[in-house]
Amino acid sequence: MEGVTHVQDVWATLSLGAEPAGLLYAVNKEYAERDHPLADGDEVALIPPVSGGTFRLTGDALSLDAVVDEVRSDEAGAIATFVGTTRSESRGRRVEHLDYEAYEGMAEKVMTQIASALKKRYELCEVAIHHRTGRVEIGEPSVMIAVSAPHRQDALAACKDAIDTLKEQVPLWKKEVYEGGEEWIGRGS
């Protein structure tokens, strides 16, 4: 694009109106600051506010047994899990289903980085994160996290940090489909 020398030039060049609050950018599948210079051939992604190992994205149903099996270790004295499910009501509205979208190559890379940071912060054996994409029905799991550690306090704390960080950093978007409407839900939902 002519006249685009930095990430901050991309939005205006696309003539999409006012830049939304919380918009993030990625260059070549890495988050980038607005003043990041661009080179010929760079891939730039516009990342709306993110919702939100092995770090797996899949359109298939998730399995708690599978995510737990990935973190089993003879050194582990505890395995903590988190299962996020689709609820039938949100913000006073009846939900029919959720639709998830992801920037796949980057999402899996960011999930790997989250696990690496958790292993530096806590004494852990393994971390696994599986997240659905596509349509997720009421009562179905949309995300599963398993963390193994020698001791329960690290497993539990790391599991909580994993879901909180995932919702803030991983480029995943959730659309809640209601009776009579729909809404994309942003960061931290």
Side-chain angles (χ1 to χ4, degrees), residues 5 18 32 47 53 75 78-80 108 111 113 119 129 131-132 134 143 172 186:
T5 60
I47 310 291
E75 292 77 35
I79 296 175
E108 290 163 340
M111 287 191 285
Q113 292 167 346
K119 286 180 175 182
I129 303 171
H131 204 295
R132 286 283 302 272
V143 61
L172 284 160

Side-chain angles (χ1 to χ4, degrees), residues 31-63:
Y31 282 115
E33 296 298 320
R34 294 175 50 79
D35 62 354
H36 182 86
L38 296 174
D40 283 344
D42 279 346
E43 175 185 280
V44 178
L46 305 175
I47 310 291
V50 293
S51 151
T54 50
F55 308 99
R56 181 178 308 156
L57 296 173
T58 181
D60 298 329
L62 301 178
S63 163

Side-chain angles (χ1 to χ4, degrees), residues 34-189:
R34 294 175 50 79
D35 62 354
H36 182 86
L38 296 174
D40 283 344
D42 279 346
E43 175 185 280
V44 178
L46 305 175
I47 310 291
V50 293
S51 151
T54 50
F55 308 99
R56 181 178 308 156
L57 296 173
T58 181
D60 298 329
L62 301 178
S63 163
L64 186 59
D65 288 338
V67 77
V68 168
D69 285 345
E70 290 178 10
V71 301
R72 287 191 194 283
S73 167
D74 289 345
E75 292 77 35
I79 296 175
T81 61
F82 172 81
V83 178
T85 58
T86 303
R87 61 181 176 266
S88 62
E89 191 171 317
S90 179
R91 288 177 285 291
R93 294 185 276 188
R94 186 97 181 131
V95 176
E96 293 180 350
H97 68 274
L98 300 178
D99 284 313
Y100 283 94
E101 289 187 15
Y103 183 20
E104 291 196 24
M106 185 174 176
E108 290 163 340
K109 184 174 185 176
V110 173
M111 287 191 285
T112 301
Q113 292 167 346
I114 290 169
S116 178
L118 290 171
K119 286 180 175 182
K120 290 177 183 170
R121 192 174 315 130
Y122 301 100
E123 184 183 350
L124 302 180
C125 300
E126 294 297 333
V127 178
I129 303 171
H130 295 187
H131 204 295
R132 286 283 302 272
T133 57
R135 185 176 175 133
V136 182
E137 300 294 339
I138 301 301
E140 289 184 351
S142 56
V143 61
M144 291 186 181
I145 297 172
V147 178
S148 61
H151 305 285
R152 71 178 174 269
Q153 64 272 20
D154 281 342
L156 291 167
C159 193
K160 180 189 181 312
D161 281 358
I163 188 61
D164 291 345
T165 306
L166 178 142
K167 289 177 146 283
E168 289 295 324
Q169 295 182 7
V170 177
L172 284 160
W173 304 277
K174 173 175 74 174
K175 179 171 57 174
E176 291 182 345
V177 178
Y178 306 105
E179 293 174 351
E182 59 189 38
E183 179 181 4
W184 285 100
I185 307 299
R187 181 177 296 194
S189 61

